[in-house]
Amino acid sequence: MSTAAQQVHRIAVIPGDGIGTEVVPPAQRVLEAVGRTHGFSFAWTEFPWSCEHYARTGAMMPEDGLEQLAQHDQIFLGAVGYPGVPDHVSLWGLLIPIRRAFSQYVNLRPVRLLRGISSPLRGLEETGLDLVVVRENSEGEYSEIGGRFNRGTPHEMALQQSVFTRRGVERVMRYAMELARSRDGRLTSATKSNGIIHTMPFWDEVLHELTDGTELEVASVHIDALAAQFVLDPGRFDVVVASNLFGDILTDLGAAVVGSIGIAPSANLDPSGEHPSMFEPVHGSAPDIAGQGVANPVGQIWSGAMMLDHLGHPAAAAAVLDAVERTLADDGVRTRDLGGTADTETITAAILENLERSAPA
Ligand SMILES: NC(=O)c1ccc[n+]([C@@H]2O[C@H](COP(=O)([O-])OP(=O)(O)OC[C@H]3O[C@@H](n4cnc5c(N)ncnc54)[C@H](O)[C@@H]3O)[C@@H](O)[C@H]2O)c1
């Protein structure tokens, strides 16, 4: 379906490294297909910024990279990182500058058990699981402040400062509270104020100030106990708000609980809409399976569905997820990480077919 008034979304695409380059094109095909039946389309601009780019030029992206990205509505990223380039170079040379320059202070990570996926947790298929982690994405433990001293001597030391600002903590908590209100009203905050005695009591105080007298059901749980409960009784959580590091670790655990890191999606959001947001799977570039054509594209496709939601197309986003679930559950098409035999192309073709079958006439 094409109309003169069709919306065209300008998307910057950074496939990145390893399986990033293998899962981004299938996800673009799925997004284009759903766009055709829901009345919108995409103008993609691809940027080859990656560890290969770093090896060639000495930088993960050009000096004006952020200005180039700023010309786009949103950013769709695969994964960066490759053996031979230290991980902190790929992270701090590309991902973190994008998240910070564009005020993407919310990292939204759904932890949902899709139909057709078995969890390593006993009985989870019967109860289901659908929670969301709101990870602080712009400050916290991931900071550049610190240093190494007396290198190579017996007095060698390393210092790493965390940065928690009132503005940073308040805005991510307000976002999580709003999200909890739109769901079933339960909010859990990850803390560690018994061991980390400056930043975490501050985190807890801000939570208390903002939620005092609220109608929300609010709990504050130490991250170690929270991690254990994510395995023992994940259904007790709905919206979880966490600092940068805690949220990062908790969501890899969440991805494992709902079947595979290969399916976990994420959105780096600037909720104000002033800057582009960035959508990327939770997984990395998986050098161990790169180049074999066997990577699971579902994490990338689901991240694309989150982008559709953000762009104001919730029906199209739901159609994509529905096609993914029918492929996994009804057709039994699964990639190796989910215990199946399908390669990237086979599962993509099956998802596209399901999408077509359910398209509005
Ligand atoms: N946002 C990002 O770009 C990002 C995130 C995490 C890691 N990384 C980088 O990726 C590289 C590899 O990191 P890692 O091995 O710790 O994590 P990883 O997520 O790349 O891989 C972990 C394991 O999960 C498997 N896996 C991941 N995604 C999969 C998929 N879609 N389908 C099937 N199997 C999948 C891999 O084969 C591997 O065994 C490192 O350089 C790291 O810095 C990047």
Side-chain angles (χ1 to χ4, degrees), residues 3-349:
T3 65
Q6 194 177 59
Q7 251 184 311
V8 181
H9 299 297
R10 292 164 309 147
I11 309 295
V13 186
I14 309 176
D17 296 297
I19 64 164
T21 62
E22 298 171 37
V23 292
V24 166
Q28 287 176 281
R29 280 159 66 197
V30 169
L31 293 174
E32 281 180 354
V34 78
R36 279 194 292 275
T37 53
H38 285 74
F40 57 87
S41 64
F42 297 93
W44 310 98
T45 314
E46 189 165 320
F47 296 97
W49 302 339
S50 57
C51 287
E52 205 182 299
H53 188 272
Y54 177 83
R56 237 184 9 255
T57 66
M60 289 295 293
M61 63 175 160
E63 249 173 56
D64 67 346
L66 293 172
E67 281 109 88
Q68 292 190 47
L69 292 176
Q71 312 301 315
H72 298 81
D73 299 333
Q74 313 297 338
I75 304 164
F76 196 46
L77 185 129
V80 289
Y82 222 66
V85 176
D87 283 345
H88 68 266
V89 168
S90 46
L91 192 63
W92 283 90
L94 190 77
L95 288 183
I96 291 187
I98 294 174
R99 289 173 181 164
R100 295 192 177 180
F102 296 139
S103 290
Q104 295 167 354
Y105 64 85
V106 168
N107 189 196
L108 199 61
R109 294 184 165 191
V111 178
R112 181 174 144 198
L113 187 62
L114 294 182
R115 238 169 23 88
I117 293 200
S118 10
S119 164
L121 299 189
R122 212 174 29 233
L124 201 66
E125 289 90 30
E126 284 81 67
T127 57
L129 183 66
D130 180 7
L131 63 87
V132 188
V133 177
V134 177
R135 167 190 172 196
E136 201 294 318
N137 208 30
S138 64
E139 53 176 44
E141 301 88 346
Y142 294 2
S143 101
E144 283 175 293
I145 304 172
R148 296 276 296 270
F149 306 96
N150 302 323
R151 279 180 195 253
T153 77
H155 302 288
E156 184 163 7
M157 63 185 284
L159 286 176
Q160 176 81 49
Q161 299 293 315
S162 294
V163 177
F164 286 74
T165 65
R166 177 165 285 280
R167 176 170 172 267
V169 177
E170 277 187 2
R171 66 185 181 179
V172 75
M173 283 183 179
R174 284 190 202 284
Y175 182 91
M177 288 169 68
E178 236 7 84
L179 186 62
R181 267 185 204 109
S182 73
R183 291 172 57 100
D184 75 359
R186 287 178 293 148
L187 175 67
T188 305
S189 162
T191 184
K192 190 63 193 160
S193 47
N194 54 354
I196 302 176
I197 61 164
H198 299 298
T199 54
M200 280 295 133
F202 173 60
W203 173 272
D204 292 353
E205 271 165 43
V206 174
L207 176 78
H208 185 71
E209 283 168 27
L210 294 182
T211 58
D212 196 25
T214 177
E215 76 289 6
L216 296 172
E217 190 186 306
V218 182
S220 184
V221 182
H222 289 304
I223 185 67
D224 37 2
L226 187 50
Q229 286 169 8
F230 248 52
V231 174
L232 295 173
D233 186 16
R236 71 157 66 183
F237 302 110
D238 189 49
V239 175
V240 178
V241 63
S243 65
N244 212 330
L245 174 67
F246 292 173
D248 198 4
I249 298 171
L250 207 52
T251 46
D252 264 40
L253 177 59
V257 161
V258 291
S260 162
I261 190 148
I263 61 164
S266 87
N268 302 272
L269 300 178
D270 168 11
S272 77
E274 193 187 330
H275 306 284
S277 291
M278 176 164 67
F279 301 83
E280 53 166 337
V282 170
H283 68 72
S285 55
D288 55 335
I289 57 163
Q292 300 175 25
V294 297
N296 188 345
V298 168
Q300 190 76 49
I301 292 170
W302 192 347
S303 304
M306 292 182 82
M307 181 165 80
L308 295 179
D309 252 329
H310 190 70
L311 287 167
H313 303 298
V320 168
L321 267 193
D322 184 56
V324 167
E325 287 194 302
R326 278 188 291 128
T327 301
L328 295 167
D330 305 341
D331 305 343
V333 178
R334 297 186 199 118
T335 41
R336 288 198 324 209
D337 55 311
L338 296 172
T341 55
D343 59 15
T344 312
E345 180 51 38
T346 307
I347 191 168
T348 305

